[in-house]
Amino acid sequence: MDIILLLFIFVIAAFLGKELISKVPSQLHTPLMAATNAISGIAIVGALFVCATYATGELGMILSFIAIILAAINIVGGYSVTERMLGMFRKKGDKE
Amino acid sequence: MVIAYIIACVFFIVGIKKLNHPNTARQGNMLSAFGMLIAVVAVFFESEVTASWNTSNWVQNGYLWCFLAIAIGSAIGLVWSKKVKMTGMPELVAIYNGFGGLASALVAFSQFLKDPDGSNMSEAIAIGLTIFIGSMAFSGSMLAFGKLSERITGRAIVFKGQKAINLVFVLACVAGMIIYVIPGIDTGTKFLAIVMLTAISLIFGVTFVLPIGGGDMPVVISLMNSLSGLAVVSAGFIISNTVLIVSGSLVGASGIILTLIMCKAMNRSIGNLLFSGFGATDAVSKGGPQSEPKAVSTEDAYLILEAAGSVVFIPGYGMAVAQAQHVVKELAEKLEENGAEVSFAVHPVAGRMPGHMNVLLAEADVPYEQLKTMEEINPSMPTQDVAIVIGANDVVNPAAETDEASPIYGMPIIKAHEARTVFVLKRGKGRGFSGIDNELFYMQNTLMVYGDAKATISSLAGEFTAN
């Protein structure tokens, strides 16, 4: 894809991110960080592609295999721990 | 498949948007996770990937390896996230930051193997950048993890010429990238350049975080969070994938915003924070204290609390260390039964990561309406009967407002000293983490309760039950 177009997407997304994140209240900052950890696991898309297509030989295969494991830890662990934390936030009077 | 990626992006965006309130946050998290599922499934339907389907030789079937790696990673991630204690969240997030960065760097490295000549200039630049940012985020985060878990001293480690060395490292990395990008250089040299770039980026991550002390960890974690996001963005440029760029930008923006919030809460510029080695200052602003702080026994403290109509708890990292959040909640309940109005004042940099205290108190079932930010609580401070400072120090130091010579001068604080009576729960008589003497301890209305915070609080709660 055209590099300029990609840069354009990046700039728009960065501004969007700024708007979205500044509305997250400080009490949710720790869950926010865990959730963004999970989202950064999206690098798995690139790793899966390399691993599945065997595009770069054995070394590339091994590296991408490790990358998938790391990204999967981030994704599953990140979402699961965020869920755990958010489950603890409750209003007055809420009981389990 | 591009459509699937766009849908995934939408889920991420809506998911983060719903994180703006505790009521909708869980739903947001689910949506975001669903978006991730869509993106991952979509990869397996990419035409180049489906072409790798090979039933005659399973070992060469890409799907097998992908599923195996996903299964391993998911299992580790799941078990870990269930087992981690809430007080261990900063360490966990530090590790995730590192893994995110390393995953991107590995993707970049394997793309480099595909194109060792750097023939596509924009792709080659992105490869160099991803390796640099990703490796740095990895080693920096691992060091942050070491500091947080106290495997490595939390003190800032400063040595002479540190800044100069870091500058040399950055220049070396830039040189490595340039060698890889410009055409006409032989492949062997380019290979060496990228290996050097990887190695130096890893070292640079360490030398970058070393001079930052444990008390400044909220900033480091936020910054590494941001770097891991930027590494993903950069990886997106390599493989021309928009979902990587969009989601990486969201993560990057989040990290940067948190970094700036933390810096503002410490009244320090980001440059000052990263390069000055704050925690290393062993110089103390004042010599001898004016007088000994007044100490009080838990029995006497109970009598004051019993008569209090309003109580505000001010937790700090010490509460996390003492694992005192549950007993704090117990005491808060006893106080409420006794007719007092209870609130919790959370300073933005209390603890070791943004929002650390909120999560701990939420774990102990403190309803989130009782958690007040610094801005919310300060105006009502003079009307509070009792302020209980638990393991917090710099964030309640009035010197930040009055003493221009103090290293923390200008930092916004929770004005605990304005409360009618202040209890400071402290392990011993030593100075706090930053090594700065705290005027609050010597004030007329301040009473020190020495001892383990958890033991102190539970004996206070015990007094309520007994009487």
Side-chain angles (χ1 to χ4, degrees):
Chain A
M1 208 184 288
D2 191 3
I3 179 79
I4 297 298
L5 190 59
L6 293 176
L7 278 172
F8 181 68
I9 292 171
F10 169 53
V11 172
I12 298 289
F15 275 99
L16 175 67
K18 182 187 168 288
E19 289 302 314
L20 285 175
I21 307 292
S22 27
K23 294 203 173 58
V24 177
S26 63
Q27 56 172 317
L28 289 179
H29 278 166
T30 297
L32 170 71
M33 291 192 90
T36 55
N37 280 148
I39 294 177
S40 72
I42 191 73
I44 201 170
V45 168
L48 285 171
F49 204 81
V50 177
C51 185
T53 55
Y54 202 75
T56 56
E58 262 152 41
L59 183 55
M61 181 87 180
I62 296 167
L63 294 181
S64 57
F65 187 79
I66 300 172
I68 297 173
I69 296 181
L70 295 174
I73 293 178
N74 262 25
I75 293 172
V76 176
Y79 283 125
S80 142
V81 87
T82 308
E83 168 66 21
R84 223 183 108 194
M85 278 191 275
L86 292 174
M88 292 170 181
F89 282 88
R90 50 176 63 96
K91 280 196 249 183
K92 205 165 185 165
D94 277 12
K95 286 285 159 205
E96 312 228 0
Chain B
M1 283 311 107
V2 176
I3 293 292
Y5 293 141
I6 294 173
I7 296 172
C9 287
V10 172
F11 274 104
F12 291 149
I13 291 167
V14 177
I16 289 191
K17 186 173 159 43
K18 282 186 180 283
L19 268 178
N20 66 5
H21 196 278
N23 290 346
T24 53
R26 283 179 88 170
Q27 201 189 351
N29 193 45
M30 292 307 288
L31 289 175
S32 174
F34 189 65
M36 184 62 75
L37 184 68
I38 294 175
V40 170
V41 171
V43 182
F44 290 107
F45 289 95
E46 292 266 10
S47 55
E48 286 159 79
V49 177
T50 48
S52 77
W53 183 259
N54 185 342
T55 43
S56 58
N57 186 349
W58 280 101
V59 180
Q60 280 181 17
N61 190 323
Y63 283 84
L64 172 74
W65 296 106
C66 288
F67 288 138
L68 185 63
I70 291 178
I72 297 173
S74 306
I76 298 174
L78 195 64
V79 171
W80 206 343
S81 68
K82 299 282 179 209
K83 275 174 68 177
V84 69
K85 286 200 180 117
M86 281 302 131
T87 43
M89 276 315 297
E91 286 96 317
L92 187 74
V93 168
I95 289 179
Y96 285 163
N97 286 339
F99 283 3
L102 184 59
S104 303
L106 288 173
V107 170
F109 205 90
S110 54
Q111 290 293 321
F112 155 70
L113 295 171
K114 194 175 171 184
D115 180 19
D117 295 321
S119 48
N120 181 330
M121 171 104 50
S122 57
E123 233 180 79
I125 294 173
I127 288 176
L129 271 178
T130 312
I131 294 180
F132 174 64
I133 302 173
S135 309
M136 178 187 168
F138 173 65
S139 59
S141 298
M142 287 304 121
L143 179 60
F145 164 73
K147 286 190 173 200
L148 286 164
S149 58
E150 283 168 5
R151 287 178 171 82
I152 303 167
T153 170
R155 281 174 183 285
I157 299 166
V158 193
F159 52 86
K160 230 179 162 191
Q162 203 154 24
K163 283 177 213 171
I165 289 174
N166 281 348
L167 185 67
V168 171
F169 284 157
V170 173
L171 290 177
C173 289
V174 173
M177 280 186 237
I178 292 173
I179 293 173
Y180 174 51
V181 171
I182 49 174
I185 297 177
D186 68 290
T187 315
T189 313
K190 290 195 173 191
F191 186 80
L192 274 181
I194 288 293
V195 170
M196 182 196 77
L197 169 66
T198 313
I200 295 182
S201 307
L202 286 170
I203 301 170
F204 176 60
V206 172
T207 55
F208 183 76
V209 175
L210 266 183
I212 306 172
D216 293 338
M217 276 301 141
V219 185
V220 176
I221 296 189
S222 311
L223 196 68
M224 290 297 153
N225 190 231
S226 174
L227 286 181
S228 74
L230 292 178
V232 171
V233 172
S234 177
F237 277 100
I238 305 175
I239 57 172
S240 296
N241 189 314
T242 47
V243 74
L244 262 68
I245 295 179
V246 172
S247 30
S249 305
L250 296 177
V251 179
S254 163
I256 295 266
I257 289 176
L258 292 177
T259 309
L260 295 178
I261 293 175
M262 295 298 112
C263 283
K264 196 173 156 224
M266 294 181 176
N267 187 41
R268 298 168 65 198
S269 77
I270 182 156
N272 164 287
L273 202 127
L274 296 177
F275 304 116
S276 71
F278 181 60
T281 49
D282 44 19
V284 176
S285 57
K286 280 186 210 143
Q290 303 88 326
S291 59
E292 272 291 297
K294 286 186 298 257
V296 69
S297 68
T298 45
E299 289 80 13
D300 294 337
Y302 160 73
L303 293 175
I304 296 171
L305 278 179
E306 210 253 326
S310 55
V311 177
V312 53
F313 288 91
I314 304 167
Y317 183 57
M319 184 183 82
V321 173
Q323 301 269 1
Q325 64 271 31
H326 296 283
V327 287
V328 166
K329 162 70 179 169
E330 199 188 322
L331 178 59
E333 272 180 353
K334 294 275 169 17
L335 286 167
E336 282 189 310
E337 282 166 22
N338 194 41
E341 198 185 308
V342 177
S343 49
F344 294 81
V346 181
H347 192 278
V349 295
R352 285 293 183 266
M353 71 181 294
H356 193 184
M357 292 299 124
N358 302 81
V359 168
L360 290 182
L361 292 169
E363 187 199 11
D365 265 342
V366 173
Y368 59 77
E369 293 95 335
Q370 280 186 356
L371 303 179
K372 307 286 184 208
T373 62
M374 177 170 66
E375 292 82 12
E376 284 166 349
I377 200 80
N378 271 344
S380 71
M381 247 336 160
T383 64
Q384 299 282 353
D385 286 335
V386 180
I388 306 180
V389 180
I390 309 164
N393 192 344
D394 291 343
V395 299
V396 290
N397 191 343
E401 291 190 321
T402 54
D403 180 6
E404 283 186 43
S406 171
I408 57 168
Y409 180 72
M411 170 174 143
I413 57 161
I414 293 177
K415 301 179 182 182
H417 58 280
E418 289 183 354
R420 296 198 179 97
T421 307
V422 185
F423 289 134
V424 178
L425 272 51
K426 212 162 166 299
R427 191 183 290 273
K429 298 190 182 184
R431 289 196 175 89
F433 178 82
S434 64
I436 303 166
D437 217 355
N438 196 336
E439 273 177 34
L440 176 70
F441 303 165
Y442 306 104
M443 287 186 154
Q444 280 304 312
N445 54 341
T446 302
L447 299 166
M448 308 296 288
V449 189
Y450 291 114
D452 176 66
K454 191 174 176 180
T456 307
I457 304 252
S458 56
S459 68
L460 280 173
E463 293 274 347
F464 272 97
T465 322
N467 292 284

